[in-house]
Amino acid sequence: MARSALPGRGLETLIDALRALPGVGPRSAQRMAYHLMQHDRVGAEQLARALDGALEVVRHCARCNNFTETELCTLCRSPGRDPALLCVVETSADLSMVEQTLSYSGLYFVLMGRLSPLDGVGPRDIGLDRLLERATDGIVREVILATNFTNEGEATAHYIAEMLRARSIKASRIARGVPLGGELEFVDVGTISQAMLDRRGL
Amino acid sequence: MARSALPGRGLETLIDALRALPGVGPRSAQRMAYHLMQHDRVGAEQLARALDGALEVVRHCARCNNFTETELCTLCRSPGRDPALLCVVETSADLSMVEQTLSYSGLYFVLMGRLSPLDGVGPRDIGLDRLLERATDGIVREVILATNFTNEGEATAHYIAEMLRARSIKASRIARGVPLGGELEFVDVGTISQAMLDRRGL
């Protein structure tokens, strides 16, 4: 990067700030900044406002931990969902994928991560205390573990299963229709649908 | 994309706004938005401020058309550069690359694009009227065409060369050290340096 040839602090600051986006390195950030300043100032303005807007309104649902703009999210408030079923997913994107299958009518708990001791992510960091509280509320009859089939996702599922077994709560794991090593977000909806049907007791 | 399962307007607006960034599709935009809201709210805030800051201060140099925050950019104001040499590049990123070679001591003209009749980009859109005015100021003795070696970049170079020949101004093209079909921004500095040395008259 020719930092020396950069045409000023404002642009330099923008290029640095764009690197907060996942998967954006110095070169992409430079391209993005130049593109916005040259071809899409309206888009840049809208992005700044959208960031401010989201920062102001986006928070976590008090029940399922998913992103929401109200105390409880739309799904948790929906009377049509079966509160006896609780599906545990790693991220909001994963929840979206399960919803798209139209094969699940229960509720969710979003971990917003997965257990990862090497990165210092422990049970409390992904809200397992809140998940346990929820699972033992007397309404939930089955917890469906739909974490990814990666090493960390599997470890997280097993950890939660053990935790629930100690309280005699039924836990199941979505079937390994999802390819080994795969991540829910990138799998087709039919596969996820099959995996929901084939879930097995743990 | 499960728009239906999206957790609110604020997040939806942010995901849409992120698509203003080049190379960012619906899925990347969703990942980026979730990442910022979950893991990097400070980064999101900094990005919003950097966008506002850049929008306020970034404009085009009155002489070379590059991004700048002052009337004339640092390069155009530099007394150490040779005003008899004028290098024409497509973008700011290309200018940065040429500067990094340390093999060029003249000045620049940044087209901020290239001729592209199919996209409706004509001579005036890339400032060729201003380039001609500059080239005929009596100071410039040679115009070095360093547009990309793509079809559009080549066509742009030939168009400019014809325009300059009609006014008896010397035009040269950087040597085809740059691989055919390649773009300056993605080539190593040594190759660009060689191409500057091997420039040939047009």
Side-chain angles (χ1 to χ4, degrees), chain A residues 23-196:
Chain A
V24 175
R27 208 156 237 186
S28 311
Q30 193 189 51
R31 279 184 89 83
M32 287 173 169
Y34 288 169
H35 172 83
L36 290 177
M37 289 303 112
Q38 182 62 26
H39 300 293
D40 198 2
R41 285 183 174 240
V42 171
E45 168 69 25
Q46 284 168 345
L47 179 52
R49 295 294 69 76
L51 286 161
D52 286 336
L55 283 169
E56 197 178 318
V57 300
V58 175
R59 48 182 174 143
H60 293 283
C61 173
R63 285 196 83 195
C64 76
N65 201 37
N66 196 11
F67 293 121
T68 179
E69 294 174 16
T70 45
E71 173 70 10
L72 288 182
C73 75
T74 326
L75 269 171
C76 283
R77 279 185 283 128
S78 167
R81 310 292 299 207
D82 180 358
L85 284 177
L86 187 63
C87 177
V88 177
V89 291
E90 294 184 20
T91 67
S92 286
D94 296 341
L95 184 153
S96 293
M97 290 301 284
V98 176
E99 276 301 285
Q100 278 181 88
T101 69
L102 304 175
S103 67
Y104 179 68
S105 61
L107 294 172
Y108 291 92
F109 189 87
V110 183
L111 300 172
M112 292 288 173
R114 74 286 307 159
L115 287 178
S116 179
L118 291 176
D119 298 322
V121 180
R124 206 164 258 279
D125 300 306
I126 56 171
L128 294 195
D129 45 345
R130 286 173 55 206
L131 170 59
L132 188 60
E133 201 179 310
R134 175 89 181 277
T136 56
D137 65 359
I139 300 166
V140 172
R141 286 196 320 273
E142 180 181 353
V143 176
I144 302 171
L145 300 166
T147 53
N148 289 326
F149 282 87
T150 54
N151 288 342
E152 290 178 344
E154 288 275 41
T156 305
H158 282 284
Y159 186 96
I160 297 173
E162 287 299 323
M163 184 178 86
L164 295 173
R165 185 179 301 151
R167 313 286 174 115
S168 308
I169 298 157
K170 183 180 176 191
S172 59
R173 181 87 168 105
I174 55 169
R176 187 161 288 171
V178 180
L180 196 71
E183 296 183 27
L184 257 75
E185 200 184 337
F186 300 105
V187 170
D188 67 281
V189 166
T191 307
I192 296 182
S193 182
Q194 190 60 44
M196 288 293 294

Side-chain angles (χ1 to χ4, degrees), chain B residues 4-100:
Chain B
S4 56
L6 271 178
R9 276 304 302 164
L11 210 53
E12 218 167 308
T13 306
L14 176 56
I15 292 169
D16 286 343
L18 282 164
R19 299 198 51 196
L21 300 171
V24 174
R27 208 156 236 186
S28 310
Q30 194 190 50
R31 279 183 89 84
M32 287 173 168
Y34 288 168
H35 172 83
L36 290 177
M37 289 302 111
Q38 183 62 22
H39 299 294
D40 199 2
R41 286 185 171 238
V42 172
E45 167 70 25
Q46 284 169 345
L47 179 52
R49 295 294 70 75
L51 287 161
D52 285 335
L55 283 168
E56 198 178 317
V57 301
V58 176
R59 50 182 173 143
H60 294 282
C61 173
R63 286 196 81 197
C64 75
N65 201 35
N66 196 11
F67 293 122
T68 179
E69 293 174 16
T70 45
E71 173 70 13
L72 288 182
C73 75
T74 326
L75 268 171
C76 284
R77 279 184 284 130
S78 167
R81 311 291 298 210
D82 180 358
L85 285 177
L86 186 63
C87 177
V88 177
V89 291
E90 293 185 21
T91 68
S92 286
D94 296 340
L95 183 152
S96 294
M97 291 300 286
V98 175
E99 277 300 286
Q100 278 181 88

